[in-house]
Amino acid sequence: MKSQTAREPQNQRSTRASRPEKAKPRRYVRQTALVAARRDGKPLIFGWGSHLSQSEKNRIRVRATWALTILILLTIVGVLIGFWININVIVPGLPITSVNGHDIPQSEYHKLVVLKTQLEINKLYGPNGLFAQRTNLEKAVAQQQQAMNNASKKIDDLNQQISKLPAGPSPQRTQLTKELNEAKQAYANAQSQHDKLQSQLNNLTQNTIPFEQQGPFTQSQIGNDSATWLQDDELIREWLQTQPASVRARIEPTAAQIERALNDLKANMPKSGQYARSYQQMLAQDGVSDADMHEMMALKLRRDNMQNYLASQIKSPTYQVLARTMTLSTKADAQKILDQLKKGADFATLARQKSVDTTTNTKGGYLGWLARGQYAHQEGQAYVDNWLFDPARTINEISPIIMENGAYHIVQILGIDPSRPLDQSTLQTLKDNALSNWSLEIRALPTTHITPADQNRLFDPINMPTELPVSGPSQSSGGLSAPSQ
């Protein structure tokens, strides 16, 4: 018997599958994708971005907002930094004047203005200032007035007692008469002292204090003086470089001198009233440092020492010249006169006829004997003075045309005396103005080049302390009164 293994039929389909079935309905699964992922075809900006989905557009908007915010913040910070740099670095570094090519920045000017302002405040309102002196004088005058009243009352009492005595001499009359004479002398002494103190008080109230308030304690005066001081200091330091060590030691202040001067400034700062403040408050309010004040005090002391040194060099007798001058309004007129003088015309005659200087033309231009600095002090410039005192000058020599104070001058040497006495008044005037005259002479040299101070920067509010008034107070509005307490 043959055995066979039955094979399972392949690809056998289910009989049920072959049966026709009813079609089942298609089922839809709910989609969870965000609508933001769809493209709506709308542009984002300037026609661009239609290919982006809503979520991509949102991301771009957020990033753009942050970028714009950061840009605005950076711009604000940049502007603030630029403003700070401009105010604290660029502007202070701008020159306010220059001396022989050396720029003097506004920062130096501001420091000196602060120091000079505080010195002037101390002079007016400090514990030993002019207003304090006025108060003390008022008290002293009142005391002397009281002494006069007491003496007058005593005189009246003694006269009454004497009038009640019996006629004729007596020890009591003698004693009362003695006391009466003493009372009269006391009255006379008190009155003399009262009148003396009252005169000082009147001068202080009517002249000294108003002068300080109307002149030195104003922006115009302190500003221009500060610029001049800085120019002078540059000239002094250039001059010192050519001097021996002994001269430099007399003029350059020591650290101890500077410290003493600053301590004196601190001690004399007002303790009450509208200008009362400490040294540290002054530094903070006016935007300076202690080192700045040391630097500016050194400048002031160097200037003071230079004045003292130059004054010590002025003595009598001294070198003097005898001279005459004429002043013309135009260079053309001056040239015509000079041509006539060169041809032998008489100087005095032409001076009487042509000179516009009413002080000297009636005298034929005669100036008299002059010491160095005397004419410069009178005129405020030293171009003529420098020519007169050039060692190369000779008797009867006539100058070229010299421009000074906007006019044209011709001068002639009539005499030279290397050792001529000076009267005491002229000598003292020359000593008192030794530094200013020296400065005028140096400024008039052809080798000196100084640019005028920039008036806009000079009075820029950033350079002016707030406590420094633009102008002095009006006397009619009670400007002479002390600051409010």
Side-chain angles (χ1 to χ4, degrees):
M1 184 172 182
K2 213 177 195 182
S3 65
Q4 292 181 335
T5 303
R7 299 175 97 183
E8 184 177 347
Q10 294 181 358
N11 301 327
Q12 201 171 19
R13 292 184 179 180
S14 169
T15 57
R16 296 185 60 179
S18 61
R19 296 178 185 175
E21 292 184 0
K22 213 172 184 180
K24 295 182 179 180
R26 182 177 297 177
R27 298 179 62 187
Y28 291 92
V29 179
R30 187 176 181 180
Q31 300 293 321
T32 58
L34 295 174
V35 175
R38 298 176 183 173
R39 300 176 182 175
D40 54 14
K42 295 180 180 180
L44 184 61
I45 185 172
F46 301 133
W48 177 87
S50 58
H51 64 289
L52 299 175
S53 66
Q54 190 65 34
S55 62
E56 290 172 328
K57 291 178 181 179
N58 289 339
R59 283 196 298 270
I60 290 175
R61 289 191 184 99
V62 171
R63 290 172 182 173
T65 301
W66 277 108
L68 182 60
T69 302
I70 292 172
L71 179 61
I72 292 172
L73 291 175
L74 289 176
T75 301
I76 294 173
V77 171
V79 169
L80 292 175
I81 292 174
F83 181 78
W84 185 91
I85 292 174
N86 183 63
I87 293 297
N88 294 280
V89 179
I90 297 177
V91 172
L94 294 175
I96 200 161
T97 182
S98 67
V99 178
N100 295 331
H102 180 264
D103 289 341
I104 298 174
Q106 289 188 89
S107 56
E108 295 296 298
Y109 169 76
H110 173 67
K111 297 172 191 176
L112 185 55
V113 168
V114 170
L115 176 65
K116 285 179 65 62
T117 297
Q118 189 60 54
L119 288 171
E120 193 61 34
I121 287 174
N122 291 2
K123 185 175 182 179
L124 277 166
Y125 307 112
N128 301 309
L130 296 177
F131 278 106
Q133 294 175 33
R134 188 182 73 172
T135 300
N136 292 336
L137 278 173
E138 289 171 342
K139 292 178 180 178
V141 168
Q143 289 174 353
Q144 293 303 318
Q145 182 63 56
Q146 185 61 47
M148 289 170 60
N149 294 340
N150 294 339
S152 178
K153 184 176 183 302
K154 188 172 184 179
I155 290 172
D156 292 342
D157 291 343
L158 290 169
N159 280 327
Q160 289 181 6
Q161 293 181 44
I162 292 173
S163 66
K164 295 177 181 179
L165 292 175
S170 67
Q172 188 177 7
R173 179 182 292 275
T174 301
Q175 179 61 32
L176 290 175
T177 301
K178 179 182 177 182
E179 292 179 10
L180 178 62
N181 291 334
E182 291 175 349
K184 289 180 178 179
Q185 185 60 49
Y187 181 89
N189 292 339
Q191 185 175 40
S192 175
Q193 188 65 16
H194 173 275
D195 292 346
K196 179 181 178 181
L197 292 171
Q198 186 64 55
S199 177
Q200 294 177 15
L201 177 59
N202 291 341
N203 182 60
L204 189 65
T205 301
Q206 299 170 14
N207 300 314
T208 306
I209 291 178
F211 172 79
E212 288 295 326
Q213 289 185 309
Q214 297 293 334
F217 192 50
T218 60
Q219 288 188 9
S220 176
Q221 189 71 52
I222 285 185
N224 283 290
D225 284 353
S226 295
T228 299
W229 279 28
L230 288 165
Q231 292 170 346
D232 285 348
D233 190 63
E234 184 66 26
L235 295 174
I236 290 171
R237 287 187 285 114
E238 288 181 3
W239 178 81
L240 282 174
Q241 293 176 4
T242 66
Q243 302 304 306
S246 58
V247 174
R248 293 198 299 271
R250 291 184 61 177
I251 296 172
E252 285 291 356
T254 64
Q257 290 172 336
I258 297 170
E259 201 63 42
R260 282 197 299 271
L262 274 176
N263 288 337
D264 183 64
L265 177 139
K266 297 172 187 177
N268 283 285
M269 294 178 74
K271 304 299 187 291
S272 62
Q274 70 184 86
Y275 295 107
R277 59 179 179 174
S278 68
Y279 178 70
Q280 293 301 324
Q281 288 174 328
M282 180 200 79
L283 299 181
Q285 291 172 7
D286 294 332
V288 293
S289 67
D290 181 58
D292 293 336
M293 292 299 94
H294 276 77
E295 179 186 356
M296 293 301 105
M297 186 59 78
L299 182 151
K300 179 187 180 299
L301 294 178
R302 184 161 49 243
R303 181 181 179 84
D304 294 344
N305 293 343
M306 183 70 169
Q307 160 64 26
N308 294 335
Y309 170 77
L310 293 173
S312 70
Q313 306 303 302
I314 300 174
K315 299 175 182 178
S316 180
T318 187
Y319 183 95
Q320 295 187 55
V321 298
L322 182 64
R324 57 186 176 185
T325 181
M326 67 176 81
T327 304
L328 294 310
S329 300
T330 68
K331 189 174 183 180
D333 290 343
Q335 189 60 56
K336 290 178 183 177
I337 296 296
L338 185 60
D339 292 341
Q340 293 179 52
L341 291 173
K342 289 180 178 179
K343 293 177 182 178
D346 182 66
F347 192 104
T349 300
L350 289 175
R352 291 189 184 94
Q353 296 174 349
K354 303 294 183 179
S355 179
V356 297
D357 182 1
T358 56
T359 304
T360 62
N361 58 9
T362 58
K363 299 181 290 185
Y366 186 75
L367 293 171
W369 287 97
L370 299 169
R372 179 149 203 163
Q374 194 173 343
Y375 187 80
H377 175 66
Q378 296 171 0
E379 299 300 316
Q381 288 189 332
Y383 296 98
V384 170
D385 201 72
N386 281 355
W387 187 87
L388 287 172
F389 290 91
D390 188 321
R393 296 284 81 84
T394 58
I395 294 176
N396 293 324
E397 184 177 359
I398 296 175
S399 75
I401 298 171
I402 303 173
M403 184 177 180
E404 185 173 274
N405 290 327
Y408 299 88
H409 305 264
I410 301 172
V411 292
Q412 183 181 27
I413 300 287
L414 298 177
I416 296 175
D417 190 336
S419 183
R420 184 179 179 85
L422 279 171
D423 64 88
Q424 188 59 39
S425 176
T426 301
L427 177 63
Q428 190 58 51
T429 298
L430 290 175
K431 284 180 173 290
D432 292 342
N433 296 280
L435 177 57
S436 61
N437 290 342
W438 175 88
S439 175
L440 291 174
E441 293 164 7
I442 297 297
R443 288 166 182 262
L445 293 175
T447 54
T448 302
H449 303 284
I450 300 177
T451 61
D454 187 318
Q455 294 297 304
N456 292 327
R457 294 174 184 169
L458 209 64
F459 302 111
D460 191 308
I462 67 172
N463 291 323
M464 289 288 119
T466 56
E467 61 272 14
L468 180 60
V470 175
S471 60
S474 170
Q475 295 188 29
S476 60
S477 62
L480 300 185
S481 61
S484 58
Q485 299 298 310

